[in-house]
Amino acid sequence: VQLPTLLDPNFRVKDFGPGITKQRMYDIVLSYGKSTKRDDNLQIGGMGLGMKSPWALTSSFTITSIVDGVKSIYTAYIDETKIGKLALLEESSTDEPNGTEVCVPIDIHNIPKIEQYAVSVSEFWDVKPIIKNVAYYTSYNREEKPKILFSGTNWFVPEDSKLHHPQILIGKIPYNV
């Protein structure tokens, strides 16, 4: 994960998985309500919204995917009809490893919010990321595991969430209630 900075105001997420084929890319980006995680209760997601979430911040973003020596670069954008579209910009041979990168341009006024959110969303993770080279940094609020008010399968409500705005943790990701 690369957080945006004033010199590079893009939020980037990159993995080194198998990459996303051309047909699957169109299915993932343009299909709502279906997900590769639909039948897996151990993964977060399953609503088919993850790859569409950058549209909450911008009208276009890029996706680069490498599958078996072929690098494909796409732009995902909202057209004049307000419907999401996907365009293949470039396809080339590469010796880079398989994987996918999503690059989302961020308005520079939102950079501090993105940095703060990166800290808060990972606060309950067992292994916390080290956040470097950012203008704003809030340390994690807790070093030990939170006390639990209520819990269920793969979710819990931390005791201190009643102090500010109530939150529920699902898969160790906090969501405001």
Side-chain angles (χ1 to χ4, degrees), residues 48-69:
L49 298 176
M51 188 65 92
K52 290 96 175 155
S53 59
W55 281 323
L57 299 172
T58 185
S59 60
S60 67
F61 59 97
T62 60
I63 306 163
T64 303
S65 192
I66 300 169
V67 179
D68 300 332

Side-chain angles (χ1 to χ4, degrees), residues 9-141:
N10 293 292
F11 175 76
R12 300 174 196 272
V13 177
K14 185 174 184 176
D15 70 40
F16 295 96
I20 303 172
T21 63
K22 192 182 301 185
Q23 180 56 47
R24 192 159 175 254
M25 182 68 73
Y26 283 88
D27 288 343
I28 290 171
V29 176
L30 301 178
S31 297
Y32 289 86
K34 70 179 187 178
S35 168
T36 58
K37 301 173 186 175
R38 171 75 61 184
D39 298 323
D40 187 342
N41 289 331
L42 298 178
Q43 293 188 61
I44 300 299
M47 307 279 275
L49 298 176
M51 188 65 92
K52 290 96 175 155
S53 59
W55 281 323
L57 299 172
T58 185
S59 60
S60 67
F61 59 97
T62 60
I63 306 163
T64 303
S65 192
I66 300 169
V67 179
D68 300 332
V70 177
K71 181 177 191 173
S72 303
I73 302 173
Y74 302 85
T75 186
Y77 62 98
I78 301 293
D79 70 1
E80 62 280 350
T81 66
K82 306 290 184 199
I83 296 175
K85 303 283 186 186
L86 185 67
L88 177 62
L89 299 177
E90 180 185 333
E91 203 166 60
S92 60
S93 297
T94 183
D95 59 356
E96 295 176 69
N98 286 355
T100 302
E101 179 183 86
V102 177
C103 179
V104 183
I106 301 296
D107 181 296
I108 61 169
H109 297 97
N110 288 329
I111 290 174
K113 292 177 190 175
I114 299 291
E115 293 172 0
Q116 187 176 22
Y117 187 73
V119 172
S120 66
V121 77
S122 59
E123 181 178 357
F124 296 95
W125 297 359
D126 294 333
V127 178
K128 292 175 179 57
I130 296 170
I131 300 173
K132 296 181 177 181
N133 301 326
V134 293
Y136 174 88
Y137 182 78
T138 301
S139 62
Y140 293 105
N141 293 329

Side-chain angles (χ1 to χ4, degrees), residues 123-173:
E123 181 178 357
F124 296 95
W125 297 359
D126 294 333
V127 178
K128 292 175 179 57
I130 296 170
I131 300 173
K132 296 181 177 181
N133 301 326
V134 293
Y136 174 88
Y137 182 78
T138 301
S139 62
Y140 293 105
N141 293 329
R142 68 184 92 251
E143 292 301 321
E144 73 266 358
K145 294 191 181 217
K147 294 179 181 167
I148 298 171
L149 271 181
F150 307 104
S151 66
T153 305
N154 295 323
W155 67 271
F156 67 92
V157 177
E159 187 175 87
D160 65 352
S161 70
K162 65 184 176 185
L163 299 177
H164 302 291
H165 52 293
Q167 291 183 317
I168 187 168
L169 260 54
I170 303 174
K172 298 188 181 181
I173 305 289

